[in-house]
Amino acid sequence: MSWLSKITGGGKSAAASGSSGAAQRERPAAPPMIVIDHHEYTPEEFALGSFRIRPYDGDLIAKQQFDFHMVFDLGNDPVNVSCRGLVVKMNEQTGLVARYQSPQPFYERKLIDYIRAWKGV
């Protein structure tokens, strides 16, 4: 390392600050899209293992199991995850509240990475 780079702070910190700025720009603005029966929904609330969609105008009823897809973009990598859910509560006031089984480990890691980026962790 030269004496000039020591005085100016070196190239590493400038490169690191540039990469963190790029990561912040790629931060997702919304939770993963939920696709049920070919209809796309943006969940009002989303957590690992559950979500709430309000308003929901589909055919699901309370305690029904259903298949759905979570769709999100992790960096420049589009991800479409097949999942199995269970309707916990369903009415006009609460909308659709559902729990879902964890996807396969590969997709679960991608989902966790997406949630971390979305929450800014």
Side-chain angles (χ1 to χ4, degrees):
M1 180 181 273
S2 72
W3 63 271
L4 182 58
S5 56
K6 287 181 184 177
I7 294 172
T8 61
K12 289 185 179 180
S13 64
S17 65
S19 65
S20 67
Q24 289 177 352
R25 283 181 285 221
E26 293 178 14
R27 183 175 174 186
M33 184 71 62
I34 304 294
V35 181
I36 303 170
D37 294 330
H38 304 289
H39 297 283
E40 295 182 352
Y41 299 96
T42 301
E44 184 175 291
E45 297 175 22
F46 185 87
L48 205 58
S50 66
F51 60 84
R52 175 195 307 258
I53 297 173
R54 187 172 38 190
Y56 173 75
D57 58 352
D59 297 329
L60 296 177
I61 59 172
K63 298 183 181 177
Q64 180 179 356
Q65 292 188 9
F66 63 101
D67 294 318
F68 69 97
H69 292 267
M70 274 189 270
V71 180
F72 54 93
D73 194 22
L74 187 59
N76 290 326
D77 182 23
V79 181
N80 187 336
V81 182
S82 295
C83 292
R84 185 92 174 136
L86 173 70
V87 178
V88 175
K89 193 170 189 180
M90 176 68 201
N91 61 39
E92 281 190 33
Q93 289 179 332
T94 60
L96 167 66
V97 179
R99 288 183 306 191
Y100 62 90
Q101 296 173 350
S102 295
Q104 296 174 358
F106 174 78
Y107 290 110
E108 184 176 25
R109 284 190 300 274
K110 286 188 175 277
L111 179 60
I112 289 170
D113 290 344
Y114 182 86
I115 292 172
R116 284 183 178 158
W118 173 48
K119 301 271 184 177
V121 178

